[in-house]
Amino acid sequence: MPATYRVAILGLGGISRAHLHGYRAPENAARVELVAGADISPEARERFTQAGEWPAGPEGRSLGTSPEGRTLGAPRTYAQYRELLERERPDIVSICTWPPLHPEMVEAACAAGVKGILCEKPMAVDLAGCDRMIEAAERAGTVLVIGHQRRLQPKFTRARELIEDGAIGEPELFCGIAAGDLLADGTHTVDALRFFAGDAPVEWVTGSVDLRPREVRPEMVGRVGYQAPQPGERYTTRYGHPVESGAFAGLRFTTGLRATLELGACARPGYQRFHLYGTDGMIKVSGDRPAENEPYLHVRRKGAAHWETVEGVEAQNGFAREVTLLFESLERGTPHPLNARSARATHEVLMAVFESARRPGRVDLPLEAKSSPLADLLARTSVDSPLVSLES
Ligand SMILES: NC(=O)c1ccc[n+]([C@@H]2O[C@H](COP(=O)([O-])OP(=O)(O)OC[C@H]3O[C@@H](n4cnc5c(N)ncnc54)[C@H](O)[C@@H]3O)[C@@H](O)[C@H]2O)c1
């Protein structure tokens, strides 16, 4: 009889629905007892327990409902997450709050004896935060997973297999493209570039950052982490920390492979789109919302005259897979593919892009500074320009 786990969710906003969907997926549901959720917002707590179907999750799927058509939330909610941990003693928690809170929540969960944590990306706002999380988890023997779930999607795993099978010859240059900012969105882009590169260590990073503030229109406030601009503030705030409006970076892996990163105002259109060039071919990985008739994955193989569409790589529920693999890690001790040490390596690249802009110049890894170079960069900048429209 396989083990069942008492599960709680900390932070009951947008992405918590995707976690809920992951726990409620058919392959996981029988092993999960969702005991409680915590949020400082009474509305969020109410929504989490009320009957009725929630709107579709971030990946467009509707949430699971019970046979009676009731929302599959949790029976109890708490305003204080520490009280939840103390009273409920969950085996697994999902941390679905903004990144400045991730370190203290991971530390508290580990201290409360939680066995497995699915913490949302980005891991934290600086490397000091990442290190606190890893230290707490390793000390307590807790499996800590960070939500870079693209690594589990078929088009990503198939692309990596094609590269490893030599379909494009020797990898030369990988390009990652995403609307958005380095921390919230670039963390997925860098993580995927590292994944395609076979997780080879990154040797150095050069980066430039566009610090012009982004326009946050009133209708955007409260959506995907955007906060209302404060009077006199010269930067945009998202998910509880300052963000840049664009970034462009170059990476060299120890294998010699180069990668480029285009984000926000510096990026070509698309979200999490990748062009992977080798000496003898190329792979294109579509963005989250492919254009009409655009394949999810296509390859121009070594020696072939035409592009080939790779079939059978439609998006799957990455959150469900993340949960299933957590069960395996807890029961067999197998490393989780989204483990925290890997996420720290991704975070180090993000910090190195800011550090390169701050110096300015090439940044060799490992990065010694543990605080975010963005604060220093913002303090020294004299950007005084019109707001950058999100469409630009
Ligand atoms: N993996 C992905 O693809 C993906 C997609 C979207 C968002 N995210 C990440 O998920 C995280 C949350 O994003 P979101 O869009 O759900 O944000 P959100 O603002 O919708 O939800 C955050 C929730 O946390 C609650 N909260 C704040 N302080 C709290 C505290 N002390 N205790 C308990 N709850 C508290 C807020 O009230 C809010 O309900 C971010 O780090 C974001 O980058 C990941």
Side-chain angles (χ1 to χ4, degrees):
M1 186 73 177
T4 56
Y5 297 97
R6 290 167 57 77
V7 173
I9 300 184
L10 313 183
L12 306 176
I15 201 63
S16 72
R17 298 170 200 172
H19 283 245
L20 193 56
H21 190 82
Y23 291 117
R24 294 304 191 197
E27 62 271 38
N28 299 326
R31 311 200 51 196
V32 168
E33 185 195 351
L34 191 70
V35 291
D39 201 297
I40 52 171
S41 151
E43 294 78 30
R45 295 199 300 276
E46 170 68 15
R47 207 171 43 230
F48 194 65
T49 47
Q50 75 196 359
E53 198 171 351
W54 282 9
E59 286 176 308
R61 301 172 310 267
S62 70
L63 288 160
T65 50
S66 69
E68 305 81 45
R70 293 174 61 84
T71 301
L72 296 168
R76 290 176 293 284
T77 59
Y78 295 79
Q80 301 301 325
Y81 77 88
R82 289 177 193 277
E83 190 186 341
L84 178 153
L85 293 171
E86 177 64 30
R87 290 206 187 178
E88 303 285 350
R89 295 280 159 186
D91 300 309
I92 293 176
V93 297
S94 275
I95 298 183
C96 297
T97 50
W98 294 356
L101 274 177
H102 294 173
E104 68 160 70
M105 285 188 151
V106 166
E107 285 174 337
C110 292
V114 169
K115 299 187 186 95
I117 301 176
L118 299 183
C119 177
E120 262 314 326
K121 47 54 57 174
M123 190 169 175
V125 289
D126 54 24
L127 287 175
C130 298
D131 289 341
R132 277 173 60 192
M133 294 161 72
I134 291 174
E135 204 183 302
E138 291 184 350
R139 199 182 326 114
T142 304
V143 176
L144 175 59
V145 175
I146 309 295
H148 291 125
Q149 75 287 82
R150 278 176 175 72
R151 280 179 181 254
L152 309 176
Q153 288 294 347
K155 69 180 175 185
F156 286 76
T157 53
R158 190 72 193 102
R160 178 161 155 169
E161 281 166 13
L162 284 166
I163 295 162
E164 287 173 352
D165 290 350
I168 59 170
E170 280 302 309
E172 283 198 311
L173 176 69
F174 291 176
C175 307
I177 302 158
D181 57 81
L182 266 166
L183 277 186
D185 307 288
T187 191
H188 278 310
T189 324
V190 169
D191 198 67
L193 287 170
R194 292 185 48 245
F195 179 68
F196 293 137
D199 286 307
V202 175
E203 190 177 316
W204 54 250
V205 176
T206 62
S208 56
V209 175
D210 182 352
L211 285 174
R212 293 174 301 158
R214 283 192 149 198
E215 178 188 23
V216 179
R217 294 186 298 276
E219 70 272 18
M220 292 163 56
V221 173
R223 280 180 39 219
V224 288
Y226 279 105
Q227 292 165 266
Q230 298 302 305
E233 216 167 57
R234 286 182 305 147
Y235 54 82
T236 305
T237 309
R238 192 179 177 208
Y239 289 122
H241 54 80
V243 291
E244 80 292 345
S245 60
F248 201 94
L251 280 56
R252 184 191 192 275
F253 290 87
T254 51
T255 52
L257 169 71
R258 264 69 169 174
T260 59
L261 185 62
E262 299 170 40
L263 284 170
C266 300
R268 286 173 278 176
Y271 189 74
Q272 308 303 347
R273 203 155 69 74
F274 297 87
H275 290 179
L276 312 172
Y277 300 91
T279 47
D280 301 292
M282 180 184 175
I283 293 170
K284 287 188 187 178
V285 183
S286 78
D288 280 11
R289 283 169 220 88
E292 209 179 335
N293 299 325
E294 182 190 0
Y296 287 110
L297 181 63
H298 50 163
V299 54
R300 194 155 182 173
R301 288 177 191 264
K302 189 173 179 173
H306 302 288
W307 285 96
E308 175 193 323
T309 296
V310 181
E311 305 289 353
V313 290
E314 292 75 21
Q316 291 180 358
N317 184 348
F319 293 90
R321 188 85 190 114
E322 201 178 323
V323 171
T324 308
L325 290 168
L326 176 61
F327 295 159
E328 282 181 20
S329 292
L330 290 172
E331 288 157 25
R332 296 188 209 141
T334 46
H336 197 289
L338 314 188
N339 66 78
R341 285 208 170 266
S342 172
R344 188 199 188 277
T346 289
H347 207 81
E348 187 178 29
V349 173
L350 303 175
M351 294 295 111
V353 176
F354 288 136
E355 176 63 12
S356 174
R358 192 187 71 84
R359 287 184 185 179
R362 183 179 114 171
V363 174
D364 296 325
L365 300 188
L367 193 58
E368 277 177 20
K370 299 291 181 278
S371 59
S372 170
L374 179 59
D376 193 22
L377 201 53
L378 284 167
R380 293 195 289 119
T381 187
S382 58
V383 170
D384 187 13
S385 74
L387 296 173
V388 178
S389 153
L390 282 173
E391 281 76 42
S392 68

